Amino acid sequence: MLNLANHSKYIFERELLNYLADKEVLSSEVIAEIREELLAGSSNLDVILTKYLSAKEVMDQKSEFLGIKSISLRGRNIEKAIIALIPEELAGKYSVIPLALLGDRLQVAISNPTDLSALDNISIYTGFQVEPLLAEIEEIKVAIRENYTVQRTYDGQASEFGLAGLWKIEEELSTNHEGPAVKLVDSLFRQAVLEKASDIHWEPTAKDLTVKFRLDGALTIKASLPRASARIVASRLKIMAGMDVTERRIPQDGRIMLDFPGKTIDIRVSTLATVYGEKVVTRILDAETAQRSLSELGMREDVEKGVRKLLQQPHGLILISGPTGSGKTTTLYALLREVQSEALNIVSIEDPVEYRLPGVNQAQVNQKIGLDFAGGLRAILRQDPDIIMVGEIRDRDTARIATAAALTGHLVFTTVHTNTAAEALARLLDMDIEPYLLASAVCGVLSQRLVRKLCPYCKEVRNIGTELTKTLEWEPSGEIYGPKGCTKCQGSGYSGRIGVHEYLPYNSKIKELVIQKNGAKVLEQTSRSLGILSLLDDALLKVDAGITSLEEVIRLAAGV
């Protein structure tokens, strides 16, 4: 016996495809492919249609077919009294959000207006006739998050305690697990994980507590909380991270483990006393980062081939260079995953250990007991290692020990904070490493950055001026795309990030220049004469491929 809801869904999909075929919106061949994909059950109709039509076109066609008006929820403000008519649980279950009350009719935005049971249940619950309006499901999800998950918690916090009395519940935080501060912090963590934010910044100001998410490397304001909530939120975060709640002057570090459906989220917490109170930064570590392979990092084929060749070396020093936030740690972990073997003793010294890697013996720097990179590296060398990973070369001692280890039969992976591959070699020379030792130890240098990827759903063709192409000394091979903004990318025009790389193979010519103690400028000029592509060159190739935008390249060029 067929389930009525599924049967209705089947009829709707069939009739909509017939409608699109009759209007010649899609060819009969495409319609046949869509039917096969639906039968396979790998995806729903809306997702499949966006392969052939834009999201707006899909909405327009569905609206015309159903005879139901379609609307956009972007930038729409909904009255709190209207939101209160439908509980969050019901809104989430049916992907629906109330918009307006017109007499006895309740207008709601819904992604599937053919779900009659959903409309009936909402009508029974609210006591109003329901008028459905068609909206994108992603826009509805965003509206639910903005109007329920976070906003309701803010309102509950303010009404329960009053803005002037928020400090009174600070002493109850350790035992009151259902208090407003708990709900507030948990809801923001949930939202950050859903939006794939890498960090949350909780910044007290003269007027409020500003909450910012770092999405694809850029900070975005997500909420402004009452100024009086700054201390209570900071205290809640410190309790969760196992910090000293009474200490507000000295910076502290901690760690939170949160259980989410299907996975556990590791969060690093850092506090800093500012003139307006304690600023807290919570870094959300995504375990999937440590699972990425070299082929997932966005390397060109020749760069990936060169790096894989380095991993076959029995010993030597492999350098990864770039500023903070350029993805160096992710690359180091990808290298370790490539060489992982039960027959090898792989040991790392990191600050801090961000992700757990099976098969790797990971140690962490601890300045409180005097364990720095140099001290940790000395201890590792007494552990009979085959491969060593040093999180970062910061000082002469670490540089000397790492170089010596590479010369005595160990393969050493490490990072250096420099802008280019040539500068990484110059930095080690500045640390008084003997040129002949460095020339013998280094196998290769990889410099990298991260640029934002254009949202595949809304990127649009851009016209660029000849002045810009002359400035960049570059001529595009085809159409150039730029960001637009849609619900899937939360209006930014970007979704995710990808690496751009400069790989400096350590050939005889480069070795000769290092032995002669040449600076970064000479090394870079030589590398260009050898045909080695710079970071900027690699980024422009990704612009040509429609992966990123010229705005991202200009931002990259300013920092190189």
Side-chain angles (χ1 to χ4, degrees), residues 30-60:
V30 169
I31 294 291
E33 290 176 8
I34 293 173
R35 292 189 195 280
E36 287 181 11
E37 205 165 339
L38 282 172
L39 285 173
S42 58
S43 187
N44 63 50
L45 181 58
D46 283 355
V47 173
I48 297 171
L49 285 174
T50 54
K51 296 179 182 178
Y52 308 98
L53 303 170
S54 69
K56 185 179 184 305
E57 288 174 327
V58 173
M59 286 288 292
D60 290 343

Coordinates of all heavy atoms in Angstrom, one line a residue, residues 30-60:
V30 N 17.0 15.7 -21.1 CA 17.2 16.1 -19.7 C 16.2 15.6 -18.8 O 16.5 15.1 -17.7 CB 17.4 17.6 -19.6 CG1 17.4 18.1 -18.2 CG2 18.6 18.1 -20.4
I31 N 14.9 15.7 -19.2 CA 13.8 15.2 -18.4 C 14.0 13.7 -18.1 O 13.8 13.2 -17.0 CB 12.4 15.4 -19.1 CG1 12.1 16.9 -19.2 CG2 11.3 14.7 -18.4 CD1 11.9 17.6 -17.9
A32 N 14.4 12.9 -19.1 CA 14.6 11.5 -18.9 C 15.7 11.2 -17.9 O 15.6 10.3 -17.1 CB 15.0 10.8 -20.3
E33 N 16.8 12.0 -18.0 CA 17.9 11.9 -17.1 C 17.4 12.2 -15.6 O 17.8 11.5 -14.7 CB 19.1 12.8 -17.4 CG 19.8 12.4 -18.7 CD 20.8 13.5 -19.1 OE1 21.1 14.4 -18.3 OE2 21.4 13.4 -20.2
I34 N 16.6 13.2 -15.5 CA 16.1 13.6 -14.2 C 15.2 12.5 -13.6 O 15.3 12.1 -12.4 CB 15.3 14.9 -14.2 CG1 16.2 16.1 -14.6 CG2 14.6 15.2 -12.9 CD1 15.5 17.4 -14.8
R35 N 14.4 11.9 -14.4 CA 13.5 10.8 -14.0 C 14.4 9.6 -13.5 O 14.1 9.0 -12.4 CB 12.6 10.3 -15.1 CG 11.6 11.4 -15.5 CD 10.5 10.7 -16.4 NE 9.7 11.7 -17.1 CZ 8.7 12.3 -16.6 NH1 8.3 12.1 -15.3 NH2 8.0 13.2 -17.3
E36 N 15.4 9.3 -14.2 CA 16.3 8.2 -13.8 C 17.0 8.5 -12.5 O 17.1 7.6 -11.6 CB 17.4 8.0 -14.9 CG 16.9 7.3 -16.1 CD 18.0 7.1 -17.2 OE1 19.2 7.2 -16.8 OE2 17.7 6.7 -18.3
E37 N 17.4 9.8 -12.3 CA 18.1 10.2 -11.0 C 17.1 10.1 -9.9 O 17.5 9.7 -8.7 CB 18.7 11.6 -11.2 CG 19.8 11.8 -10.2 CD 20.6 13.1 -10.6 OE1 20.5 13.5 -11.8 OE2 21.3 13.6 -9.8
L38 N 15.8 10.5 -10.1 CA 14.8 10.4 -9.1 C 14.6 9.0 -8.7 O 14.4 8.6 -7.5 CB 13.5 11.1 -9.5 CG 13.5 12.6 -9.5 CD1 12.2 13.1 -10.2 CD2 13.5 13.1 -8.1
L39 N 14.5 8.1 -9.7 CA 14.3 6.7 -9.4 C 15.4 6.1 -8.6 O 15.2 5.2 -7.7 CB 14.1 5.9 -10.7 CG 12.8 6.1 -11.4 CD1 12.8 5.4 -12.8 CD2 11.6 5.5 -10.6
A40 N 16.6 6.6 -8.8 CA 17.8 6.1 -8.1 C 17.7 6.5 -6.6 O 18.4 5.9 -5.7 CB 19.1 6.5 -8.7
G41 N 17.0 7.6 -6.3 CA 16.8 8.1 -5.0 C 18.0 8.7 -4.4 O 18.2 8.9 -3.2
S42 N 19.0 9.2 -5.2 CA 20.2 9.8 -4.7 C 20.0 11.2 -4.3 O 20.8 11.8 -3.6 CB 21.3 9.7 -5.8 OG 20.8 10.4 -7.0
S43 N 18.9 11.9 -4.8 CA 18.7 13.3 -4.4 C 17.3 13.7 -4.7 O 16.5 12.9 -5.3 CB 19.6 14.2 -5.3 OG 19.6 15.5 -4.9
N44 N 16.9 14.9 -4.2 CA 15.5 15.3 -4.4 C 15.4 16.1 -5.7 O 16.4 16.6 -6.2 CB 14.9 16.0 -3.2 CG 15.7 17.3 -2.9 OD1 15.9 18.1 -3.8 ND2 16.1 17.5 -1.6
L45 N 14.2 16.4 -6.1 CA 13.9 17.1 -7.4 C 14.5 18.5 -7.4 O 15.1 18.9 -8.4 CB 12.4 17.1 -7.7 CG 12.0 17.7 -9.0 CD1 12.7 17.0 -10.2 CD2 10.5 17.7 -9.2
D46 N 14.4 19.2 -6.3 CA 14.9 20.6 -6.3 C 16.4 20.6 -6.6 O 16.9 21.5 -7.3 CB 14.5 21.3 -5.0 CG 13.1 21.7 -5.0 OD1 12.4 21.6 -6.0 OD2 12.6 22.2 -3.9
V47 N 17.1 19.8 -5.9 CA 18.6 19.7 -6.0 C 18.9 19.3 -7.5 O 19.9 19.9 -8.1 CB 19.2 18.7 -5.0 CG1 20.7 18.5 -5.3 CG2 18.9 19.2 -3.6
I48 N 18.2 18.3 -8.0 CA 18.5 17.9 -9.4 C 18.3 19.0 -10.4 O 19.1 19.2 -11.3 CB 17.7 16.6 -9.7 CG1 18.0 15.5 -8.8 CG2 17.9 16.2 -11.2 CD1 17.1 14.3 -8.9
L49 N 17.2 19.7 -10.2 CA 16.8 20.8 -11.2 C 17.9 21.9 -11.2 O 18.1 22.5 -12.2 CB 15.4 21.3 -10.8 CG 14.2 20.5 -11.2 CD1 12.9 21.1 -10.7 CD2 14.1 20.3 -12.7
T50 N 18.5 22.2 -10.1 CA 19.5 23.3 -10.0 C 20.8 22.9 -10.8 O 21.6 23.8 -11.0 CB 19.9 23.6 -8.6 OG1 20.3 22.4 -7.9 CG2 18.7 24.2 -7.8
K51 N 20.9 21.7 -11.3 CA 22.0 21.4 -12.2 C 21.7 21.9 -13.6 O 22.6 22.1 -14.4 CB 22.1 19.8 -12.3 CG 22.5 19.1 -11.0 CD 22.6 17.6 -11.3 CE 23.0 16.9 -10.0 NZ 23.0 15.4 -10.2
Y52 N 20.4 22.2 -13.9 CA 20.1 22.6 -15.2 C 19.5 24.1 -15.3 O 19.5 24.7 -16.3 CB 19.0 21.7 -15.9 CG 19.5 20.2 -15.8 CD1 19.0 19.4 -14.8 CD2 20.3 19.7 -16.8 CE1 19.4 18.0 -14.7 CE2 20.7 18.4 -16.7 CZ 20.3 17.6 -15.7 OH 20.7 16.2 -15.6
L53 N 18.9 24.5 -14.1 CA 18.3 25.8 -14.0 C 18.9 26.5 -12.8 O 19.3 25.9 -11.9 CB 16.8 25.7 -13.9 CG 16.0 24.9 -15.0 CD1 14.6 24.7 -14.5 CD2 16.1 25.7 -16.3
S54 N 18.8 27.8 -12.8 CA 19.2 28.6 -11.6 C 18.1 28.4 -10.5 O 17.0 28.0 -10.8 CB 19.3 30.1 -11.9 OG 18.1 30.6 -12.2
A55 N 18.5 28.7 -9.3 CA 17.6 28.5 -8.2 C 16.3 29.4 -8.4 O 15.2 29.0 -8.1 CB 18.3 28.9 -6.8
K56 N 16.5 30.6 -8.9 CA 15.4 31.5 -9.1 C 14.5 30.9 -10.2 O 13.2 31.0 -10.1 CB 15.9 32.9 -9.6 CG 14.8 33.9 -9.7 CD 15.3 35.2 -10.1 CE 14.2 36.3 -10.2 NZ 13.1 35.9 -11.1
E57 N 15.1 30.3 -11.3 CA 14.3 29.8 -12.3 C 13.4 28.6 -11.8 O 12.3 28.4 -12.2 CB 15.2 29.3 -13.5 CG 15.7 30.4 -14.3 CD 16.7 30.0 -15.3 OE1 17.5 29.0 -15.0 OE2 16.8 30.6 -16.4
V58 N 14.0 27.8 -11.0 CA 13.3 26.6 -10.4 C 12.1 27.2 -9.6 O 11.0 26.7 -9.7 CB 14.2 25.8 -9.5 CG1 13.4 24.7 -8.7 CG2 15.3 25.1 -10.3
M59 N 12.3 28.2 -8.8 CA 11.3 28.8 -8.0 C 10.2 29.4 -8.8 O 9.0 29.2 -8.6 CB 11.8 29.9 -7.1 CG 12.6 29.4 -5.9 SD 11.6 28.6 -4.6 CE 10.7 30.1 -4.1
D60 N 10.6 30.1 -9.9 CA 9.6 30.7 -10.8 C 8.7 29.6 -11.5 O 7.5 29.8 -11.6 CB 10.3 31.6 -11.8 CG 10.9 32.8 -11.2 OD1 10.5 33.2 -10.1 OD2 11.7 33.4 -11.9

